[in-house]
Amino acid sequence: MKNIIIFGAPGSGKGTYSDEIVARYNMGHISTGDVLRGEIKQGTQLGKIAKGYIDNGQLIPDELMIDILANTYDSMPEGKGVIFDGFPRTIPQAEALKQMLAQRGHDMGVMIELIVDEDTLMTRLLNRAKEQGRADDNEETIKKRFAVYHNQTAPLAEWFQTEGMRHTFTWEGSKELMLENIFKFLDTLK
Ligand code: AP5
Ligand code: MG
């Protein structure tokens, strides 16, 4: 499978659909949020830096994030395609990803954009807070994450549009329908 960038607001389902895509197409998965939460759990220096940003709903600085992404990408098995979940989130990150992949002779592939209304997003994240207790899943931090998404990340959709990579899927109330539409599109790429 080609590389896939899965893009959307907090709670839009990037992680959930990534798991389904990975299972169907047997590809690699990089969730930058999961990488950072892993570092925090292990108490590394990077984790200590990341915690301050994550708990406050802010983005980790681009230079740091770009290094982490390149190192993680190089540790993945080659040739299967990777799904990037939560990266890129800014235009400098997108430019760096494009360059990093080009240096390795790889292609960015396609971008899948998930559009979900904000009330649904908030409900999902508050439900997840009860089940998983993620430090940034509280109403105050979720609102900050939504604002960061709108101001810093959402404008990137236009960048992908210009690259001819943007494929948008809008939530219509059914996870099965969402998945069916995403798979129908990805099946055409194999
Ligand atoms: P990250 O971990 O990427 O969090 P996020 O973008 O806020 O997104 P979430 O993981 O909360 O949501 P999701 O879209 O994966 O949805 P999910 O599938 O879980 O980033 C966290 C932080 O790390 C950032 O704030 C930042 O500080 C830092 N960071 C990470 N990457 C960075 C980068 N590149 N640059 C700088 N900083 C970075 O679904 C949500 C919930 O909804 C789940 O519980 C799911 O089960 C449920 N759900 C219910 N119904 C559905 C449905 N129909 N479809 C999908 N999910 C559903
Ligand atoms: Mg996620």
Side-chain angles (χ1 to χ4, degrees), residues 76-107:
M76 304 295 288
E78 251 194 76
K80 285 173 145 190
V82 167
I83 179 158
F84 296 96
D85 158 5
F87 190 100
R89 274 168 133 102
T90 62
I91 289 175
Q93 288 185 16
E95 298 282 4
L97 179 65
K98 186 177 177 182
Q99 196 189 358
M100 190 273 282
L101 291 172
Q103 279 165 353
R104 289 158 178 76
H106 301 168
D107 194 77

Side-chain angles (χ1 to χ4, degrees), residues 8-17 31-34 36-37 53-54 57-60 65 85-89 93 124-125 128 131-132 134 136-137 145 171 175:
S12 57
K14 299 183 294 295
T16 304
Y17 298 121
S31 158
T32 43
D34 286 350
L36 296 168
R37 283 184 289 275
Y53 291 99
I54 292 187
Q58 304 301 311
L59 298 182
I60 274 71
M65 215 50 239
D85 158 5
F87 190 100
R89 274 168 133 102
Q93 288 185 16
R124 287 182 186 177
L125 294 175
R128 189 176 64 188
E131 291 159 12
Q132 296 180 16
R134 227 173 86 168
D136 57 350
D137 281 347
R145 287 157 64 201
W171 171 247
K175 184 177 166 186

Side-chain angles (χ1 to χ4, degrees), residues 1 24-25 185-190:
M1 176 55 82
R24 185 178 172 98
Y25 302 103
F185 163 62
L186 291 177
D187 282 348
T188 67
L189 304 177
K190 281 208 292 179

Side-chain angles (χ1 to χ4, degrees), residues 8 16 19 32 56 69 73 76 90 94 138 152 155:
T16 304
D19 289 344
T32 43
N56 202 24
L69 194 274
Y73 184 75
M76 304 295 288
T90 62
N138 58 77
Q152 299 184 50

